[in-house]
Amino acid sequence: MEERLLVTASPHIRDHSTTRGLMGAVVAALMPCVLASALIFGARALLLVAVTALACVAFEALYEWLNHKANTAGDLSAVVTGIILALNMPVNMPLWIAVVGAFVAIVIVKQLFGGIGYNLANPALVGRIVLFLGFTTRMTAYVYPDMAVDALASATPLAGTVDLGAVNFLDMFLGLHGGMLGETCVLAILAGFAILLATGAIQAAIPVSIVATCYILTLLYTGDPYVALMECMGGGLLFGAVFMATDYVTSPFTTRGKLFYGIFIGLVTFLIRHFASMNEGMSFAILLGNLMTPWFNEWGHQKPLGYKKAKKAGKKGGDA
């Protein structure tokens, strides 16, 4: 068989990391959110996560079998997609709808574009958006914990009926309010973030730039630092910034590109939340960021040390 050299975009870095190892680190980082969702919403949260993850693995294996491709289910990327997708649903989501989301994420967004490494957008993110647009009532039918405080017992924190200035910090930090499984408990998200940083799975540039941009813009708009903090702690901003915007395939690879990307997502999220008809704009902001990643890579491309732009050759006087 003829051997061909596959040349890809720089940077070319030698590393001993494997896809399975990186995905394993992400699975470990997601476990605090899975555990927190079970403690807050009950055992059905675990059932939803298990069914969605298994559906993603099954769809990937089945698609590759039907197309006579190597089985990549063992690299854990489908497991990561399934867990993230499940954590983007309310606990009472019908299981069959979760399976539909898994099909969209794995078959349509990932495999039809060529499999891992070729998708244009985060599969779990697109799965969430499709479910939100197609099953809006189900995706917004939040279940509220029995221990939820009165201020958060009848609406999500970002709903217009909630006075964020009156919301208790500890209740928001521990996730004692309604919402998607993975977005409620800030403590669990930060624990996962720490695991990702400690294992070298991600860099802090993207999550920090997203949250900082959204906080600063909200602070300038509202004039209240506490309200700005509550907005950053609610509505999936932290979960999306840590686990979805940092997807390896659909996020920039240069540090400068990551910062442009993060600032862009924070800006779009702020604009949708305050000037559009949706309380939660993080998913659409990340999707736009994913589609613009090639441009961020080009714009943020870092020049080699000592690089000097070549001068254009020109004619002087009567030179030939």
Side-chain angles (χ1 to χ4, degrees):
M1 181 182 292
E2 180 185 358
E3 293 185 2
R4 296 183 179 181
L5 178 64
L6 178 62
V7 180
T8 59
S10 62
H12 305 109
I13 302 173
R14 293 183 179 275
D15 192 272
H16 296 293
S17 299
T18 63
T19 300
R20 183 181 176 87
L22 290 172
M23 293 298 107
V26 177
V27 171
L30 286 165
M31 287 302 102
C33 291
V34 173
L35 178 60
S37 67
L39 293 174
I40 295 171
F41 296 105
R44 196 180 190 281
L46 298 178
L47 176 63
L48 182 60
V49 170
V51 168
T52 310
L54 287 173
C56 284
V57 173
F59 281 130
E60 178 153 302
L62 179 61
Y63 181 92
E64 291 174 336
W65 178 72
L66 291 174
N67 288 274
H68 307 288
K69 299 172 64 177
N71 191 328
T72 60
D75 64 14
L76 299 181
S77 61
V79 175
V80 169
T81 297
I83 296 175
I84 292 177
L85 179 60
L87 293 175
N88 274 281
M89 302 179 196
V91 69
N92 58 345
M93 174 63 74
L95 297 180
W96 71 270
I97 296 181
V99 173
V100 171
F103 175 83
V104 171
I106 295 298
V107 177
I108 297 179
V109 183
K110 183 180 179 182
Q111 292 298 336
L112 288 183
F113 281 90
I116 187 171
Y118 294 95
N119 44 288
L120 299 178
N122 185 310
L125 172 70
V126 178
R128 170 188 167 131
I129 291 175
V130 169
L131 293 184
F132 181 81
L133 295 177
F135 303 94
T136 305
T137 302
R138 292 292 191 178
M139 284 290 283
T140 55
Y142 304 123
V143 172
Y144 301 91
D146 293 335
M147 61 284 223
V149 293
D150 292 340
L152 297 177
S154 60
T156 59
L158 293 186
T161 57
V162 174
D163 180 8
L164 291 178
V167 173
N168 182 272
F169 173 84
L170 190 60
D171 293 324
M172 284 291 290
F173 188 73
L174 296 179
L176 305 184
H177 57 83
M180 305 298 183
L181 291 181
E183 71 182 29
T184 54
C185 184
V186 175
L187 176 60
I189 297 172
L190 293 180
F193 183 44
I195 292 173
L196 291 175
L197 292 179
T199 56
I202 67 168
Q203 297 178 347
I206 291 175
V208 171
S209 58
I210 291 174
V211 176
T213 299
C214 197
Y215 178 84
I216 292 171
L217 292 175
T218 306
L219 175 60
L220 294 175
Y221 181 73
T222 63
D224 190 330
Y226 187 76
V227 169
L229 178 62
M230 291 299 102
E231 284 213 12
C232 289
M233 293 173 66
L237 179 71
L238 289 177
F239 185 83
V242 172
F243 294 107
M244 301 175 76
T246 54
D247 177 56
Y248 301 110
V249 180
T250 57
S251 63
F253 51 72
T254 66
T255 301
R256 200 179 307 169
K258 292 177 188 292
L259 293 174
F260 291 149
Y261 172 79
I263 292 171
F264 174 81
I265 291 174
L267 172 62
V268 174
T269 300
F270 166 78
L271 292 176
I272 293 176
R273 284 183 172 186
H274 292 278
F275 301 101
S277 59
M278 298 177 60
N279 294 320
E280 165 51 37
M282 187 63 175
S283 296
F284 294 97
I286 297 176
L287 178 59
L288 289 174
N290 287 170
L291 298 178
M292 292 182 65
T293 287
W295 184 70
F296 288 127
N297 278 330
E298 179 65 25
W299 193 29
H301 191 70
Q302 295 161 324
K303 303 291 190 300
L305 183 64
Y307 171 86
K308 292 183 179 180
K309 186 176 181 180
K311 296 181 179 179
K312 293 182 179 179
K315 295 183 179 180
K316 293 184 180 180
D319 292 345

